[in-house]
Amino acid sequence: MKRLMNLRPSKQSLFFLGLLPFVLVALLYLGASEVRLAANPDDKLLPSMSSFAEAIDRMALTPSKRTGEYLFVEDTVSSLERLGLGVLISAVLALLMGIPLGFIPFVRAGLSPFVAAFSMVPPMAILPILFIIFGMGELAKVALIVIGVTPLIVRDLQQRVMEIPVEQLIKAQTLGGTSWSIVLRVVLPQIFPRLLDAVRLTMGTAWIFLISAEAISATEGLGYRIFLVRRYLSMDVILPYVAWITFLAFLFDYLLKRFTYKVFPWYDAGKEQS
């Protein structure tokens, strides 16, 4: 008899099993919403589907009477610009710091404790400091993402560099490789897909810092809009915005994962597909 752990779902089963939790949550929401609206038609906690449609039409398909812009599009573009810039700066800094920390013992001895300690600083606690130093503009929001995400990626890359088999490094040295050439031809090709993986896994954290910064100081953005309309208990706006943020995060995760495995097919070898 086959053990449960050795059974593998077919493609159809994978699709059905992946879709099932979403359908169950949707049905649960529809049932709860119907019960609350039957008791109180003005209830705002669990709006009906028609309320969502009206809110989406108002925010995404109808220009603002004040600015003439589509608020949903404006919020999405503003948030993605901040997120993209923050994550890009974090990835570059992590690459520049993670490889020396993992590859050069003297650098690791000098900086590793500092990076480890810095990664424990709660980024939200220093947000007021960032606003004082960088002002209330875009720079402080991007800085919060960079400060919150970079130490996580740096420590992960450092660990991945240290896990490179010593035999490879010794063989490269016996072939005449210098430290610099070994970094370029041995370390970097192996670390780059792991950098993309680390970025993908920290995207959720980056979204948290982005939404938090926009909630405190912004005039547009997905986080700003959610915290603006909460004053009026506009769940018909908040829930679609939350669903949109979730979809964007899932889409970026999927695209980054596919890109990594497409460009570095060896990195996918032997891994469980999901």
Side-chain angles (χ1 to χ4, degrees):
M1 185 178 72
K2 278 192 173 181
R3 293 181 175 83
L4 187 61
M5 60 182 289
N6 293 324
L7 297 178
R8 294 289 183 272
S10 62
K11 287 186 177 179
Q12 292 79 7
S13 299
L14 277 174
F15 177 77
F16 174 76
L17 292 173
L19 190 62
L20 183 60
F22 295 98
V23 174
L24 291 176
V25 170
L27 292 176
L28 181 63
Y29 177 87
L30 290 175
S33 174
E34 188 173 350
V35 170
R36 291 186 67 93
L37 290 174
N40 177 15
D42 296 326
D43 181 76
K44 291 187 174 182
L45 186 60
L46 299 177
S48 63
M49 289 297 112
S50 61
S51 299
F52 286 137
E54 292 171 3
I56 292 172
D57 178 69
R58 187 171 66 253
M59 302 298 295
L61 304 177
T62 305
S64 168
K65 294 179 180 178
R66 186 173 61 86
T67 63
E69 297 177 334
Y70 295 90
L71 295 180
F72 185 77
V73 176
E74 185 183 8
D75 291 336
T76 301
V77 171
S78 298
S79 291
L80 291 184
E81 285 178 349
R82 293 163 185 149
L83 184 75
L85 184 58
V87 171
L88 179 62
I89 294 174
S90 298
V92 173
L93 290 177
L95 193 63
L96 295 176
M97 297 173 64
I99 291 179
L101 279 169
F103 188 65
I104 304 176
F106 271 99
V107 175
R108 183 163 59 248
L111 290 181
S112 187
F114 174 77
V115 173
F118 190 78
S119 67
M120 301 301 170
V121 176
M124 291 305 299
I126 62 173
L127 184 57
I129 302 174
L130 296 179
F131 283 140
I132 293 172
I133 296 175
F134 299 116
M136 304 296 282
E138 299 297 306
L139 190 56
K141 303 177 188 64
V142 175
L144 178 65
I145 298 174
V146 173
I147 291 174
V149 170
T150 302
L152 303 177
I153 306 179
V154 168
R155 297 190 72 187
D156 186 72
L157 276 191
Q158 176 188 344
Q159 188 61 36
R160 300 288 87 80
V161 173
M162 293 172 65
E163 289 175 356
I164 293 177
V166 178
E167 293 80 5
Q168 291 185 18
L169 304 179
I170 294 176
K171 185 177 292 184
Q173 293 177 69
T174 58
L175 293 174
T178 63
S179 297
W180 179 244
S181 65
I182 292 174
V183 167
L184 289 181
R185 304 185 65 174
V186 178
V187 176
L188 192 59
Q190 297 187 55
I191 289 305
F192 202 76
R194 292 177 169 84
L195 169 67
L196 296 177
D197 234 7
V199 169
R200 184 171 64 85
L201 295 175
T202 52
M203 284 295 284
T205 306
W207 273 105
I208 292 174
F209 294 134
L210 172 68
I211 300 299
S212 302
E214 288 182 341
I216 295 174
S217 171
T219 56
E220 72 282 323
L222 296 171
Y224 161 76
R225 195 68 56 190
I226 289 175
F227 279 81
L228 177 68
V229 301
R230 74 182 171 83
R231 303 171 186 170
Y232 314 105
L233 297 177
S234 299
M235 295 293 282
D236 56 339
V237 175
I238 293 175
L239 290 179
Y241 264 65
V242 173
W244 177 242
I245 292 172
T246 306
F247 172 76
L248 288 177
F250 178 82
L251 181 64
F252 290 152
D253 182 90
Y254 177 80
L255 292 178
L256 203 52
K257 186 177 181 181
R258 291 297 129 197
F259 174 78
T260 304
Y261 292 161
K262 183 72 175 179
V263 177
F264 306 99
W266 56 269
Y267 190 59
D268 191 24
K271 287 191 174 182
E272 182 81 16
Q273 297 296 320
S274 59

